[in-house]
């Protein structure tokens, strides 16, 4: 609008300037040209206007003016000056202004001119052009890079593994110092200095990371990165990588055997939780990259931040669904798991908001805290699975049908209804307290000491405490916000009684604390409702599995199964429609339940309740459609996660080679393990070889596994470094042969084997790693 007003003002000013330079005779000629009936009357008026000295001349002028006016009235509307040229010029001016604005927005010429390197289009044939000499800006700009080339990615290792690293640093400024850092579960990073660089602009380091020195436990996550500083205080950092501490394969097998059917469901949740942790690691890595190497332009930085914020929100939504799935697990104590997961979800929501504001240092802290809370929830879930020990209905025993509804389903439906009613009543009580507190805070502004306001403050706090005493279960899971709100109201009451200048601020803080409690209760109820949806989904799955395994023929059993299907479907639909659980899932599930699959399931359930077996087949078909809709409604990162993941899978021959090489490094550095840990690590390497053998059946691997079995089975378990080195060499040679065999076109054997004596000593290790990478393809 301001632009249009400026353009119009410019046009008006131009017209005034042009008109001021015209004589009245010019306008008279234009008018007479447009109306020939005027003859020469207007021109005569202009000529005589300033010369009418006597009364006779003035009378003559009035007579000519009267005739000209009468003639114009008869001629009608006369356009002396055409407006189309003026309109055209105005349109051109407006179009030019908006064209310039659009050009500046799209091309950002000022940012390009201020950039140290101008963006140039690549020529069609770059090889025919000689590289230009570095200009003053290129020579002056500091650049540097730090890379961790080995292993150069995330890994899953045991807590006694040794991880060899290769860190490379380069800069056009003299390198002053280098270091690498490690952190456990997103905690504070531990700096590890490296020796001073031998060369001014390039340095290579090969530190060893002994995981047991970090006092890590199974399922922990270790982060590591490297950085270098130049003489002018410029600092360059590498990517951040993660190591997941996985249990030994023997322990993982025991975990998978625990808990029966419930344990299998919990293991599926464990795999999904591990996927969430990996996603949070990717977000943390992206934030670290943004902090160390931000994009060149503001637009690109904002796009990168938006992608990170979107990824964090997707993880937040997935954590809510996973909360509901774990909450639906029966016969396991998962209370601490849910508490940690709920806290992680709140932290991820805060991190997403912080990521939406560029260059916010708090985002990285929130992401690390979310990672820590996710790791803790996973460890608690593993403990719950291990402690279940196959008890409950997942123990493998067949449950016999009883008359009427299953007690389990009745109890679940009753608990769902009671919790929903209590939750709504508690939210209403908190809402009333918040509204009263907000009104009190407004009145307290500038009121000073007031016994009446202090009494009202005490009344609000007392009413909320009385409700909590009457219905203690209504505030389960939100104890911290309850305590914070109560403390804030008590502080406000004291300030109002004393009449301090902070009374109004304390009252407002109490209102904010009550608002936080209300939001916490809404989040808790939404997560609880999501758990109810998963419980009803489990009922539908159990009925579908039972109908597929043993087709029912007894009319009583059919009626019971049909009633369970009908009530579970109705309860799931009500939870999605009437609670916040509908916001946690996509629209596909609610559409399927309210649409044709849901109606078909209701009809089939009614047939089964009447004792007809004809409803079984359409019921199974409807349940299959609802299952598809349920999977499509989950967040993308949770879809298709029911299949076993990589928690116990072999990571190839490189896994075994890394473990054995790490043991040899330990012995060479006199960092020997306890006999029990050494035995477990040898068995871990043996199992890795055997799992690989299942796919290939290679005699060489079988022989290596037998040697490891013999070595770990010795009574005194005396293993020396030389024996381990020999095993590693045999394994590496086999990997070279295997890589050559798998290639479509074998490589010249002379390129795969090099006489080590002909290679200078300082390059032997580097050449060995080169051929190792070459063998891996």
């Amino acid at each position: 609008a301001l632009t249009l007003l400026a353009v119009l003002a410019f046009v008006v000013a131009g017209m005034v300037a042009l008109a001021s330079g015209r004589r009245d005779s010019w306008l008279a000629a234009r008018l007479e040209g447009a109306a020939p009936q005027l003859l020469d009357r207007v021109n005569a008026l202009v000529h005589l206007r300033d010369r009418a000295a006597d009364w006779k001349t003035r009378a003559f002028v009035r007579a000519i003016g009267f005739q000209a006016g009468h003639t114009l009235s008869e001629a009608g509307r006369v356009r002396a000056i055409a407006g189309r040229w003026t309109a055209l010029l105005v349109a051109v001016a407006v179009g030019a202004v908006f064209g310039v604005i659009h050009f500046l927005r799209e091309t950002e010429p000022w940012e390009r001119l201020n950039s140290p390197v101008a963006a140039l289009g690549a020529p069609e044939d770059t090889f025919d052009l000689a590289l230009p000499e570095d200009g003053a800006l290129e020579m002056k700009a500091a650049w540097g890079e730090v890379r961790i080339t080995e292993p150069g990615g995330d890994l899953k290792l045991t807590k006694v593994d040794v991880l060899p690293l290769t860190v490379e640093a380069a800069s056009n400024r003299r390198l002053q110092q280098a270091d690498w850092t490690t952190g456990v579960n997103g905690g504070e990073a531990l700096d590890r200095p490296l020796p001073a660089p031998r060369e001014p602009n390039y340095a290579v380091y090969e530190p060893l990371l002994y995981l047991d020195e970090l006092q890590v436990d199974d399922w922990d996550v270790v982060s590591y990165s490297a950085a270098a500083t130049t003489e002018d205080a410029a600092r360059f950092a590498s990517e951040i990588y993660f190591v997941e501490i996985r249990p030994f394969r023997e322990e993982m097998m025991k975990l998978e055997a625990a808990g029966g059917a419930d344990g299998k469901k919990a293991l599926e949740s464990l795999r999904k939780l591990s996927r969430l942790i990996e996603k949070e690691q990717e977000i943390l890595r992206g934030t670290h990259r943004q902090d160390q190497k931000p994009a060149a332009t503001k637009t690109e930085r904002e796009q990168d931040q938006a992608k990170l914020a979107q990824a964090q929100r997707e993880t937040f939504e997935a954590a809510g669904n996973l909360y509901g799935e774990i909450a639906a697990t029966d016969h396991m104590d998962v209370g601490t798991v849910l508490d940690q997961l709920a806290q992680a979800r709140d932290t991820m929501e805060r991190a997403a908001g912080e990521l939406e504001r560029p260059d916010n240092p708090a985002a990285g802290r929130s992401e690390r805290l979310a990672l820590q809370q996710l790791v803790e929830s996973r460890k608690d879930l593993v403990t719950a699975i291990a402690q279940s020990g196959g008890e409950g209905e997942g123990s493998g025993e067949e449950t016999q049908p009883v008359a009427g509804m299953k007690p389990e389903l009745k109890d679940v439906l009753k608990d769902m209804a009671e919790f929903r009613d209590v939750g709504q009543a508690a939210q209403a009580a908190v809402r009333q307290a918040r509204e009263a507190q907000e009104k009190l805070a407004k009145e307290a502004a500038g009121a000073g000491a007031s016994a009446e306001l202090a009494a009202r403050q005490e009344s609000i706090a007392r009413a909320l405490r009385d409700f909590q005493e009457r219905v203690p279960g209504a505030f389960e899971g939100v104890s911290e916000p309850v305590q914070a709100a109560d403390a804030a109201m008590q502080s406000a009451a004291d300030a109002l009684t004393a009449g301090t200048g902070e009374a109004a601020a304390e009252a407002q803080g109490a209102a904010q604390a009550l608002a936080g409690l209300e939001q916490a209760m809404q989040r808790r109820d939404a997560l609880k409702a999501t758990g109810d949806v998963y419980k009803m989904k489990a009922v539908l799955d159990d009925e579908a599995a039972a109908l597929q395994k043993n087709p029912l023929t007894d009319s009583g059993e059919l009626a019971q199964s049909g009633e369970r299907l009908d009530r579970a479907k109705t309860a799931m639909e009500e939870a999605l429609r009437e609670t916040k659980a509908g916001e946690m899932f996509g629209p596909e599930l609610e559409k399927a339940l309210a649409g044709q699959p849901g109606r078909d399931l209701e009809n089939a359930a009614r047939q089964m309740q009447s004792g007809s077996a004809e409803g079984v087949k359409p019921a199974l078909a409807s349940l299959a459609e609802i299952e598809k809709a349920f999977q499509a409604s989950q967040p993308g990162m949770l879809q298709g996660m029911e299949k076993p993941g990589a928690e116990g899978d072999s990571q190839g021959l490189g896994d075994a080679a890394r473990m054995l090489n790490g043991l040899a490094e330990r012995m060479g550095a006199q960092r020997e393990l306890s006999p029990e840990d050494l035995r477990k690590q040898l068995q871990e390497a043996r199992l890795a070889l055997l799992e690989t053998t299942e796919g290939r059946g290679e005699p060489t691997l079988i022989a290596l596994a037998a040697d490891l079995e013999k070595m770990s089975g010795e009574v005194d378990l005396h293993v020396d470094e030389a024996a381990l080195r020999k095993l590693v060499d045999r394994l590496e040679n086999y990997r070279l042969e295997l890589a050559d065999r798998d290639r479509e076109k074998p490589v010249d054997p002379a390129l795969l084997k090099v006489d080590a004596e002909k290679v200078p000593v300082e390059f032997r290790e580097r050449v060995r790693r080169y051929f190792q990478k070459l063998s891996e393809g």
Side-chain angles (χ1 to χ4, degrees), residues 77-283:
R77 184 176 180 181
V78 177
R79 183 183 298 272
I81 301 176
R84 60 180 181 274
W85 292 107
T86 303
L88 179 61
L89 291 175
V90 171
V92 170
V94 172
V97 170
F98 280 101
V100 171
I101 294 174
H102 178 73
F103 173 79
L104 293 177
R105 283 184 177 179
E106 293 296 324
T107 60
E108 298 180 349
W110 303 116
E111 292 191 10
R112 292 176 179 269
L113 289 175
N114 294 330
S115 177
V117 180
L120 299 178
E124 297 181 359
D125 189 0
T126 58
F127 298 101
D128 293 338
L129 296 178
L131 292 176
E133 296 182 1
D134 290 337
L137 284 176
E138 288 80 357
M139 294 296 292
K140 186 182 298 184
W143 64 265
E145 188 173 11
V146 178
R147 290 185 180 183
I148 300 179
T149 56
E150 289 292 340
D154 297 342
L155 294 174
K156 295 182 180 181
L157 304 175
T158 65
K159 58 186 176 183
V160 297
D161 260 319
V162 179
L163 180 60
L165 305 177
T166 301
V167 180
E168 297 183 4
S171 176
N172 65 339
R173 294 293 189 267
R174 179 180 292 275
L175 295 172
Q176 187 174 21
Q177 64 180 18
D179 59 81
W180 61 295
T181 60
T182 58
V184 180
N185 297 335
E188 185 177 356
L190 174 64
D191 292 331
R192 300 169 180 269
L194 293 168
R198 296 180 180 179
E199 301 179 11
N201 304 109
Y202 179 74
V204 179
Y205 303 97
E206 294 183 339
L208 294 174
L209 175 57
Y210 293 89
L211 294 175
D212 59 329
E213 291 185 350
L214 301 178
Q215 298 180 351
V216 293
D217 204 352
D218 293 340
W219 305 105
D220 282 337
V221 173
V222 176
S223 60
Y224 64 95
S225 62
T229 306
T230 61
E231 59 183 359
D232 56 353
R235 186 172 177 83
F236 306 98
S238 70
E239 288 273 17
I240 184 172
Y241 299 104
F242 298 90
V243 176
E244 179 183 308
I245 308 301
R246 58 173 174 79
F248 293 103
R249 282 172 171 79
E250 293 179 352
E251 298 173 2
M252 194 64 196
M253 293 176 184
K254 295 177 183 178
L255 184 67
E256 292 176 348
D262 289 327
K264 292 180 180 178
K265 294 179 181 178
L267 285 172
E268 293 174 4
S269 301
L270 178 62
R271 282 187 282 271
K272 294 180 179 180
L273 186 52
S274 297
R275 179 71 184 95
L276 278 185
I277 292 174
E278 293 173 1
K279 185 66 175 178
E280 191 64 32
Q281 291 172 2
E282 290 296 327
I283 296 171

Side-chain angles (χ1 to χ4, degrees), residues 134 317 387 466 526 548:
D134 290 337
E317 295 173 358
Q387 291 177 348
D466 291 343
Q548 289 176 340

Side-chain angles (χ1 to χ4, degrees), residues 546-569:
L547 291 174
Q548 289 176 340
K549 184 177 181 181
N550 298 314
L552 300 178
T553 55
D554 182 79
S555 59
E557 294 178 352
L558 282 170
Q560 294 174 19
S561 180
E563 188 176 359
R564 287 193 290 271
L565 288 173
D566 186 33
R567 296 192 65 176
K569 179 261 180 187

Side-chain angles (χ1 to χ4, degrees), residues 355-424:
L355 284 169
E356 292 175 352
R357 299 188 295 274
D359 303 327
N360 190 347
R365 293 193 294 269
S366 298
E367 292 165 8
R368 288 191 292 271
L369 179 57
L371 177 63
Q372 179 182 358
Q373 292 165 340
L374 288 174
V375 171
E376 291 299 326
S377 63
R378 179 170 65 177
K379 294 168 72 173
D380 291 338
L381 180 57
V382 171
T383 302
I385 296 173
Q387 291 177 348
S388 65
E391 299 176 359
E393 70 176 60
S395 58
E397 298 180 1
E398 295 291 337
T399 56
Q400 298 296 327
V402 295
M405 284 290 294
K406 270 188 176 182
E408 294 84 355
L409 182 56
K410 282 185 176 180
D411 293 341
V412 170
L413 295 176
K414 181 180 178 182
D415 292 343
M416 288 171 55
E418 290 180 353
F419 186 87
R420 193 174 302 171
D421 294 339
V422 170
Q424 292 176 354

